[in-house]
Amino acid sequence: MATATQRFITFELARGNIARQITTFSTAAIIHIAVAAIIVIVAETVGLWFVCNKLVIPEERFSAALWVYQFSILTMFISIVSIPYNAMIIAHEKMSAFAYISILDVVLKLVIVLLLTIVTFDKLVFYAAMLLGISLLDRMIYGIYCNRHFAEAHIKLIFDKDLFREMTNIAGWSLLGNIAGVFYTQGLNVLLNMFFGPAVNAARAIAVTIQGVVTGFVSNFQMALNPQITKSYAIGDLHRMHTLIFASSKYSFFLLLLITLPIMVETQVILTLWLKVVPEHTIWFARLILCILLIDALSNPLMISSQAVGQVKVYQSVVGGLLLLILPVAYLALKLGGNPETVFIVHLIIAVIALVCRIVIIGRMVSFSFALYLRKVLLPISSVFILSACTSTILFCVMPNGGLLKTAIVIASTLFFTGSSILIVGISANERQLLWGKITGLRHRTHE
C-alpha cells in the first residue's frame, strides 16, 4: 500500500487538481487506518493467543513479553497510519524536511540505547516503550508539517471506490514482487543451512549486513528522482521521463560503484579489521551480493516507471516469476554439487535476466527501445565498470603486501580510477559541462 499511495499522491500532484489531491490523500489515509485496525485486531486475538499458548517464554519474563508485544502492536499501528504523510512529503520533494525528521529519529534511538545503560527497571520493556514514544513523536511531526505546508493533507470523510480499486490493484500486484523477495531471501538461508550448516548462515548474515549499509547510500538518491519520474508521466512528458529513467539508472550505478568497488577489491582486509576472524565464504559472499546490488540499482527506476503507468500486472508477473525461480534453481545447483557461492551466482544470473525483462517491458509501456537504453545506460556503465575494475585489480595484484598502507593506497586509487572512468567514458560532454558548472557555482558560493 505504501508504494501505491506514493504513486497516486505524486500523480495527482503533477496534474495540479487540488480536489483530486484531497480525495487521493483522504482515501489513502482511510485505507491505511482500516488496514492498521485489521492488523491490530488480528494481533490482539490470534497473535495474542499464539504468544500466550505457543511461544516458549520463561515464566519470570512472561509479563515483560506481553508489555513488549503490546507496545510493538501500537508502534506498528502508528507506522502504518503515517505512510500517507511520508508519501506526501516525498511527493512534494521536501527532502530536507524528510532528512531532518529521519536524523531526529536516529538521534533519539541512539539516546535510548545510551539510557539502557542507566535505567534500573526492565530494559526490554523500557526499550519497547521508548520506540513507541519515538514513533508517536514522528507521527505528530509528520502530521503537523503536512497540515501546515500542504492544503490537501487534511483527512476528510471522502472515499473514492474507483481510486480504492486502482490502489489495491497496484498494491496487490506489487505484493507478488515483495513475496518473491522474501521467498528467495529466506529460502536461500534455509538452503545454505540444509547443505552446509549454520556457519555458512553466519557468513551470509555478515554479507547481507554490508549490503544493507551500502544500499542506504543510493536509496536516498533514487528517492529524490522517483517523484519526478511519476510526475513526468502524469503530465504526458515521456521525453523527460526517459531522461530521468536513464539518469537515475546510470548515476545510481555510478554512485554505488564508487562505494562498492573499493570494498570488493579489499574485502579481506576490511572484514578482518571489522571481525578479526572472518568466517569462511564471507569474502566471496560479500563480493557477489554487492554485484547483485549494482544490478538492482538499475532496476529501481524501471520499477517506479511501471507504477507510474499503473500497469504492474505484466511487470510483476514476469519479474516476480523470475525471482521465484532463484530458490529452485539454487537448490538444483547445490544438489548437483555446487559450493555455497553457487546460490549467489544463480541469484546474480537471474537478476541480470530480470533486468533485461524489465527494460523490454517498461520500454514498451513508455515508448523507448532496448537499443536506446543500451546506448544511454548499459554501454556507459559497462565501460566504466570494466575500466575501473581492471585497473584496480591489476594495482591490487602487483603491489607488494604492505598491510594497511597498501589497503589505503588501493582504496584511494580505486576511487580515482572509478571517478576518472565516470568522467571520461561514463557521461556525455553535455553532462560533464553541467557537472563542471555545478562545481564552479558551488565554489563561487563558498568564497562569497
Side-chain angles (χ1 to χ4, degrees):
M1 284 306 298
T3 300
T5 301
Q6 176 71 60
R7 184 264 181 191
F8 280 96
I9 290 177
T10 305
F11 202 90
E12 295 302 336
L13 186 63
R15 289 182 166 180
N17 187 330
I18 188 65
R20 285 294 300 170
Q21 292 172 33
I22 293 172
T23 300
T24 301
F25 178 80
S26 297
T27 302
I30 292 170
I31 291 172
H32 281 84
I33 291 171
V35 169
I38 292 170
I39 293 175
V40 168
I41 291 170
V42 173
E44 290 290 9
T45 52
V46 178
L48 188 58
W49 172 84
F50 187 83
V51 171
C52 294
N53 295 279
K54 296 299 180 180
L55 291 186
V56 179
I57 303 171
E59 187 176 348
E60 66 275 10
R61 299 297 297 157
F62 189 74
S63 176
L66 288 180
W67 277 109
V68 170
Y69 183 69
Q70 296 299 328
F71 286 141
S72 300
I73 292 172
L74 290 173
T75 301
M76 177 191 60
F77 179 88
I78 293 169
S79 298
I80 293 173
V81 299
S82 297
I83 288 172
Y85 294 93
N86 301 6
M88 183 68 70
I89 291 176
I90 295 172
H92 280 272
E93 301 178 66
K94 301 297 183 181
M95 298 306 172
S96 58
F98 192 82
Y100 290 141
I101 298 171
S102 299
I103 291 169
L104 176 63
D105 182 83
V106 172
V107 171
L108 289 176
K109 287 177 179 176
L110 177 61
V111 171
I112 292 174
V113 173
L114 296 175
L115 288 176
L116 286 174
T117 61
I118 60 175
V119 295
T120 55
F121 48 92
D122 195 293
K123 289 181 170 55
L124 186 60
V125 175
F126 172 80
Y127 182 69
M130 290 299 100
L131 287 182
L132 171 60
I134 291 175
S135 295
L136 185 58
L137 179 63
D138 288 346
R139 168 66 183 83
M140 291 171 60
I141 294 173
Y142 278 122
I144 292 170
Y145 182 87
C146 289
N147 288 335
R148 288 185 176 179
H149 291 83
F150 313 131
E152 67 273 23
H154 295 81
I155 300 178
K156 300 182 183 298
L157 295 177
I158 302 172
F159 189 79
D160 189 318
K161 292 182 180 179
D162 293 333
L163 179 60
F164 171 73
R165 280 194 292 269
E166 290 182 55
M167 292 181 74
T168 51
N169 178 60
I170 290 180
W173 283 106
S174 297
L175 182 62
L176 175 63
N178 296 332
I179 290 173
V182 173
F183 181 73
Y184 75 72
T185 299
Q186 300 305 320
L188 291 180
N189 262 335
V190 174
L191 278 186
L192 290 172
N193 184 270
M194 287 170 53
F195 282 87
F196 305 104
V200 175
N201 286 121
R204 184 178 185 274
I206 294 167
V208 170
T209 301
I210 296 172
Q211 177 192 27
V213 172
V214 173
T215 301
F217 287 97
V218 73
S219 61
N220 290 329
F221 169 75
Q222 291 178 335
M223 186 188 298
L225 283 178
N226 291 345
Q228 286 296 318
I229 294 175
T230 302
K231 289 176 182 178
S232 297
Y233 180 79
I235 61 176
D237 191 347
L238 290 183
H239 176 72
R240 184 168 183 270
M241 185 185 188
H242 297 166
T243 301
L244 289 169
I245 293 171
F246 301 152
S248 181
S249 297
K250 187 165 68 171
Y251 291 121
S252 294
F253 185 92
F254 289 156
L255 177 61
L256 208 52
L257 187 65
L258 282 166
I259 300 166
T260 57
L261 191 56
I263 298 174
M264 286 192 278
V265 174
E266 285 288 357
T267 312
Q268 184 167 358
V269 174
I270 293 171
L271 288 176
T272 302
L273 288 173
W274 176 26
L275 302 171
K276 305 302 180 187
V277 179
V278 181
E280 189 180 2
H281 305 292
T282 306
I283 293 172
W284 275 104
F285 281 8
R287 286 170 175 164
L288 288 168
I289 277 184
L290 291 176
C291 288
I292 294 167
L293 196 59
L294 287 169
I295 300 300
D296 288 343
L298 297 172
S299 302
N300 180 73
L302 300 170
M303 179 184 68
I304 296 299
S305 299
S306 76
Q307 293 164 2
V309 176
Q311 299 175 10
V312 296
K313 181 178 179 179
V314 174
Y315 177 89
Q316 291 293 356
S317 297
V318 174
V319 175
L322 282 170
L323 295 179
L324 285 172
L325 289 176
I326 292 173
L327 191 59
V329 175
Y331 175 81
L332 180 62
L334 293 178
K335 201 70 175 173
L336 293 173
N339 57 29
E341 287 79 5
T342 305
V343 300
F344 295 97
I345 295 171
V346 168
H347 186 177
L348 179 60
I349 292 170
I350 293 180
V352 172
I353 296 171
L355 174 65
V356 173
C357 292
R358 285 182 174 107
I359 296 168
V360 173
I361 292 169
I362 300 304
R364 290 176 179 175
M365 284 184 186
V366 298
S367 305
F368 68 78
S369 65
F370 185 89
L372 182 62
Y373 191 91
L374 178 70
R375 179 165 57 87
K376 293 287 188 178
V377 180
L378 296 182
L379 287 180
I381 66 171
S382 299
S383 301
V384 169
F385 181 80
I386 292 169
L387 281 173
S388 53
C390 288
T391 50
S392 301
T393 304
I394 291 170
L395 177 66
F396 175 81
C397 294
V398 300
M399 277 194 69
N401 188 12
L404 291 180
L405 177 60
K406 176 190 174 181
T407 301
I409 292 173
V410 169
I411 289 176
S413 300
T414 301
L415 290 171
F416 174 77
F417 293 145
T418 306
S420 300
S421 300
I422 291 171
L423 289 173
I424 296 170
V425 300
I427 60 178
S428 65
N430 289 336
E431 289 171 323
R432 280 194 295 272
Q433 186 176 2
L434 179 63
L435 178 62
W436 180 249
K438 294 286 186 183
I439 294 173
T440 304
L442 182 62
R443 188 189 303 167
H444 288 162
R445 286 195 297 270
T446 304
H447 287 91
E448 285 178 358

